[in-house]
Amino acid sequence: MSNKSPPPRPAPRLYLATPVVDDHVSLLAELPALLASADVAAVLLRLKQTDQRTMISRIKALAPVVQNAGAALLVDGHPELVARGGADGAHLPGIAALKEALPSLKPDRIAGVAGLTTRHHSMDAGEMGADYVLFGEPDTKGQRPSSQAIAERLDWWAELFEPPCVGFAMSLEEAHEFAASGADFVLVGDFIWADPRGPKAALIEVDAAIKQAHATALAGQEHG
């Protein structure tokens, strides 16, 4: 009887959230070099709320730049704009939003979900067909669990479930911790754009940190 352990999970990849986009021109200029500098699997486009036509034109402008770099473009909310803008999917703020959006997104586009406050909700999302679950994002009041609680939730999910899990990191240290805990993707955003060295330096540093954390965790398992 074989008791071979499952193959190790691949190293986590970055999921880059944009600033809230009001004027996409500067982002358009910055993205190609950013995406070429690190292993970015996907970009989460946070759009400033305005009329649909303007939002669709912003998605249309940014989608090819992201996709040509080999990454997926997901829109934060607004699943109704995904296909019309040529994006790859939507990031949804909870179970109810996921349920409502699934018919319009599946089977061709990605439906990711956040706002999962309990383990039960997380399992419901997985059963409903979410393509990933995100843990650790702040709520509407800016509150979030401790980084240790987020790491524990990622570890629990990675052990038991197939769909990828994403850790919402608010610092380089959290990105490292979540990668070590079994996150498939690490979502980074504001702290990257706010870095005084510029977002490229910050992104390269965080990419190296999550790869190193994953390698250390794997080595620990092999010797455990």
Side-chain angles (χ1 to χ4, degrees), residues 26-49:
S26 58
L27 184 63
L28 209 51
E30 209 167 7
L31 269 177
L34 261 184
L35 297 176
S37 71
D39 180 24
V40 179
V43 172
L44 179 62
L45 176 57
R46 301 196 285 201
L47 287 168
K48 185 171 182 190
Q49 187 68 41

Side-chain angles (χ1 to χ4, degrees), residues 22 65-66 75 118 171:
D22 188 7
V65 175
V66 173
V75 181
T118 66
S171 66

Side-chain angles (χ1 to χ4, degrees), residues 167-204:
F168 185 109
M170 294 182 79
S171 66
L172 179 69
E173 293 71 28
E174 284 191 356
H176 185 280
E177 185 178 0
F178 298 162
S181 303
D184 298 281
F185 301 93
V186 177
L187 180 69
V188 295
D190 295 346
F191 80 93
I192 296 291
W193 302 101
D195 194 297
R197 299 167 301 170
K200 187 174 170 183
L203 203 60
I204 291 168

